[in-house]
Each structure stands twice: as C-alpha cells, then as structure tokens.
C-alpha cells in the first residue's frame, strides 16, 4: 500500500473499542459522509462508524482486538476514490 495518497489523520480519543480520528476540517463534504461510513462498515470488526464533515472526524466502535486492522483501514482511505452518496441515491438504493 502506498502511503503517498493516504489520508492524514490524528487520533483524538482512544478508549478500548472506541476511537475518534480527525482528518481535518472539511476534509470531506456532506455528500461524502455516507460514502466514508460505508467504506468502513464493510469490515465485520467495525460495529458502528459515524463521520462528521464539519470537523473531519470519524468515530468508530470496533472489536478491540482489531485495532491494528482498523488503523490500517483508516490509512488506506482515499477520499478521492469514493463516490458521493446523496440522500436521493440512498432512497433509491432502499427501493
């Protein structure tokens, strides 16, 4: 994995099974929030993920023994490779 294009982040809270990272204010837009969350939800060890476009934070609840895997997954995130998911697209997907 090339780290050249990997997202930069800072761990701002780290408690067993819960970690919050900050990627930078407005690092992703409001219509990218769902795409960011879905990128991580595909992993079985991630129980819940919540992204915030205002402050660029991502909150994870995960199985604690998978912390190294979670950090690797965060490092592999490429915002530019995600497709925005608008509320309309979400509604269509549910039909």
């Amino acid at each position: 994995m090339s780290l050249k294009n990997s997202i930069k982040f800072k761990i701002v809270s780290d408690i067993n099974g819960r970690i919050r990272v900050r990627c930078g204010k407005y690092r992703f837009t409001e219509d990218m929030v769902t795409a960011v969350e879905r990128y991580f939800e595909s992993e079985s060890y991630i129980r819940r993920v919540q992204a915030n476009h205002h402050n660029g934070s991502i909150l994870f609840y995960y199985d604690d023994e998978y912390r190294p895997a979670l950090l690797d997954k965060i490092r592999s995130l490429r915002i530019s490779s995600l497709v925005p998911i608008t509320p309309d697209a979400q509604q269509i997907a549910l039909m």
Side-chain angles (χ1 to χ4, degrees), residues 27-86:
R27 179 64 181 99
F28 44 88
T29 60
E30 184 175 9
D31 62 344
M32 292 300 293
V33 167
T34 302
V36 169
E37 291 172 348
R38 286 195 181 160
Y39 175 80
F40 292 105
E41 288 172 345
S42 64
E43 300 298 331
S44 62
Y45 58 86
I46 298 175
R47 290 183 275 129
R48 191 171 122 207
V49 59
Q50 184 177 15
N52 182 307
H53 71 283
H54 292 292
N55 62 12
S57 73
I58 309 172
L59 173 64
F60 300 92
Y61 291 90
Y62 65 98
D63 295 333
D64 195 42
E65 64 270 17
Y66 289 95
R67 186 178 187 278
L70 174 61
L71 293 176
D72 286 344
K73 184 74 173 177
I74 296 168
R75 287 184 195 102
S76 73
L77 175 63
R78 308 285 185 277
I79 297 291
S80 61
S81 68
L82 299 177
V83 177
I85 301 174
T86 62

Side-chain angles (χ1 to χ4, degrees), residues 14-31:
D14 191 0
I15 302 169
N16 292 342
R18 181 186 181 276
I19 192 168
R20 182 185 301 274
V21 299
R22 287 246 165 79
C23 305
K25 192 172 184 179
Y26 301 110
R27 179 64 181 99
F28 44 88
T29 60
E30 184 175 9
D31 62 344

